[in-house]
Amino acid sequence: MKTPRTVLITGILGQDGSYLADHALRLGQRVVGGIRGELSAERSWRLDHLGITRHIEFVPLDLLNAASIDHAIESTRPDLIFNFAAQSSVGDSFNTPIATAEAGGIGAVRIFEKARTSGNKIRVFQASSSEIFGDITDSQHSEESFFNPKTPYGATKLFAHIMAEAYRASYGTHVSTGILFNHESPLRGINFVTRKITNSLTKVKLGLIEGFSLGNLDARRDWSHAKDFVTAIWDMLALDTPDNFVLASGKLTSVREFVDLAAQALDIELSWEGSGQHERGIDRRTGRAVVTVNPEFYRPYDPAQPLADIRKAQRVLGWQPQHSLQSLVDEMVQFELKQLSPQ
Ligand code: GDD
């Protein structure tokens, strides 16, 4: 592959887009961020945190608007496109199924279509999700497994995933996908459970709040560091043949266990009492319930996550994740302490 010069990232203001931009800049690439609406300090905080905002060119790009995609691609002439933009919350997708499908589904196809017709031999990465597997937990899941999503978000991601395969097979378009299990970091949005936990528990530790509520504590997820994913994602587009790759750690951890890890990192001694909606996480030193369960945070449908089979990414990409779950939690907690502690 010729050395890529221009990298267009959709969703550059999100966690994955920010880390990918950082990675590409470190490799000396020209990075263009496609953004919907105006850039503001409130929206660019992740790029600001990484210290890279001023090294990025921004171009208007709205996945709901084909003309804006055409303009973004024609005016910047990317060699590589990383499509991270989407409505990325499974929980929110229950309330916004149409918007979720339009941006994450049709929006992705608009990117593939422009890449196909531009004549520039653009390589595309599409962010697929472990939500495309749905509720199947009987065995390890790989790129070849059966897909059976049941959430609006999962169904949308599967549509885009299959369209990526269709573009490869029908037109020879160079589209690779990453079937991404959960990936977290200090740059995660606060609406996702890991960041909600590290942020809220740190506030408890600092005396800023008395406690907080979660939904399904028994939900098990495969959590990795987002930084480990972007290196694999970058390497995917260096392959001559586009393909699909599962990225994950291969280990499942419950929400309750994640709370325990965050509590340990903050030196909070936590014990659990009760069950179901009455379960509570008690701070043993103060006797206070710092974690309670609120059914408001339950989902209408919360598929169990399968065990991931990551052998293909290891074999083909030579991928080896560098972060353990404990080091991820520690990093997130340190970030919260720095942000929230009085100066
Ligand atoms: N968000 C949230 N808030 N989730 C909670 C809460 C809460 O208060 N309490 C329990 N949970 C449970 C959810 O029910 C779910 O089972 C689990 O925590 C993880 O929820 P999220 O962090 O919102 O992530 P997700 O698994 O739904 O989706 C993420 O991972 C997918 C890949 O598997 C997102 O990053 C998706 O974009 C991604 O595709």
Side-chain angles (χ1 to χ4, degrees), residues 158-172:
L158 181 55
F159 171 73
H161 183 81
I162 291 176
M163 274 302 221
E165 294 189 326
Y167 266 75
R168 288 208 296 257
S170 304
Y171 309 115

Side-chain angles (χ1 to χ4, degrees), residues 88-91 128-131 153 157 180-184 188 191-194 196 213-217 219-221 223 255 297 299 302-303 305:
S88 65
S89 160
V90 180
S128 288
S129 161
S130 63
E131 280 284 312
Y153 174 88
K157 282 289 180 184
L180 309 180
F181 282 62
N182 297 48
H183 45 294
E184 319 295 314
R188 193 53 146 148
N191 53 330
F192 295 94
V193 77
T194 55
K196 178 175 172 181
S213 299
L214 293 167
N216 183 2
L217 294 172
R220 286 164 18 114
R221 287 289 182 275
W223 282 298
V255 170
F297 298 117
R299 295 183 180 170
D302 201 10
Q305 199 169 41

Side-chain angles (χ1 to χ4, degrees), residues 10-327:
T10 75
I12 196 165
L13 301 178
Q15 168 187 263
D16 299 354
S18 301
Y19 280 129
L20 199 279
D22 188 49
H23 187 66
L25 286 168
R26 283 172 196 274
L27 295 173
Q29 313 302 325
R30 172 187 175 217
V31 174
V32 178
I35 59 167
R36 192 161 53 115
E38 295 297 311
L39 190 66
S40 63
E42 204 183 323
R43 298 182 72 208
S44 67
W45 70 271
R46 294 180 176 88
L47 300 174
D48 295 341
H49 176 74
L50 295 170
I52 57 174
T53 313
R54 67 194 169 86
H55 300 296
I56 296 166
E57 296 167 42
F58 295 95
V59 64
L61 193 157
D62 181 353
L63 290 179
L64 303 182
N65 179 340
S68 90
I69 294 173
D70 290 355
H71 175 262
I73 292 176
E74 282 162 18
S75 63
T76 62
R77 298 183 61 80
D79 300 287
L80 308 176
I81 300 177
F82 294 87
N83 185 34
F84 293 115
Q87 191 296 100
S88 65
S89 160
V90 180
D92 289 351
S93 79
F94 293 106
N95 299 323
T96 59
I98 294 174
T100 298
E102 279 178 348
I106 299 293
V109 181
R110 289 195 182 105
I111 297 276
F112 305 159
E113 180 62 4
K114 186 62 186 172
R116 170 178 92 85
T117 56
S118 72
N120 293 344
K121 295 204 163 50
I122 300 172
R123 296 183 174 195
V124 181
F125 170 78
Q126 167 61 20
S128 288
S129 161
S130 63
E131 280 284 312
I132 69 177
F133 290 123
D135 218 347
I136 322 164
T137 52
D138 52 349
S139 59
Q140 281 198 315
H141 278 47
S142 72
E143 299 76 7
E144 308 305 325
S145 297
F146 181 64
F147 301 126
N148 187 30
K150 290 277 171 34
T151 62
Y153 174 88
T156 297
K157 282 289 180 184
L158 181 55
F159 171 73
H161 183 81
I162 291 176
M163 274 302 221
E165 294 189 326
Y167 266 75
R168 288 208 296 257
S170 304
Y171 309 115
T173 312
H174 200 293
V175 191
S176 287
T177 76
I179 304 175
L180 309 180
F181 282 62
N182 297 48
H183 45 294
E184 319 295 314
S185 74
L187 304 189
R188 193 53 146 148
I190 211 104
N191 53 330
F192 295 94
V193 77
T194 55
R195 180 88 203 287
K196 178 175 172 181
I197 292 167
T198 55
N199 181 268
S200 304
L201 259 190
T202 305
K203 285 180 177 159
V204 169
K205 177 76 185 180
L206 296 175
L208 301 173
I209 58 173
E210 298 224 324
F212 63 102
S213 299
L214 293 167
N216 183 2
L217 294 172
D218 293 316
R220 286 164 18 114
R221 287 289 182 275
D222 181 324
W223 282 298
S224 298
H225 198 305
K227 272 180 157 179
D228 278 330
F229 280 19
V230 300
T231 55
I233 288 168
W234 180 266
D235 290 345
M236 281 178 211
L237 294 202
L239 297 174
D240 287 336
T241 309
D243 212 335
N244 307 317
F245 293 95
V246 167
L247 298 184
S249 73
K251 295 182 208 88
L252 291 168
T253 304
S254 72
V255 170
R256 188 185 298 99
E257 287 164 339
F258 192 96
V259 175
D260 283 333
L261 288 174
Q264 278 163 29
L266 284 159
D267 194 26
I268 296 173
E269 287 180 33
L270 207 62
S271 54
W272 296 94
E273 286 180 1
S275 61
Q277 291 180 26
H278 304 292
E279 186 164 355
R280 302 178 320 156
I282 310 284
D283 181 338
R284 284 210 291 271
R285 288 196 195 112
T286 63
R288 279 207 197 115
V290 295
V291 186
T292 50
V293 172
N294 185 342
E296 188 194 321
F297 298 117
Y298 286 167
R299 295 183 180 170
Y301 187 80
D302 201 10
Q305 199 169 41
L307 269 176
D309 178 347
I310 57 173
R311 283 174 296 179
K312 183 173 170 186
Q314 290 174 323
R315 191 180 70 249
V316 179
L317 302 170
W319 181 58
Q320 279 307 334
Q322 302 296 311
H323 298 81
S324 66
L325 182 58
Q326 183 67 62
S327 70

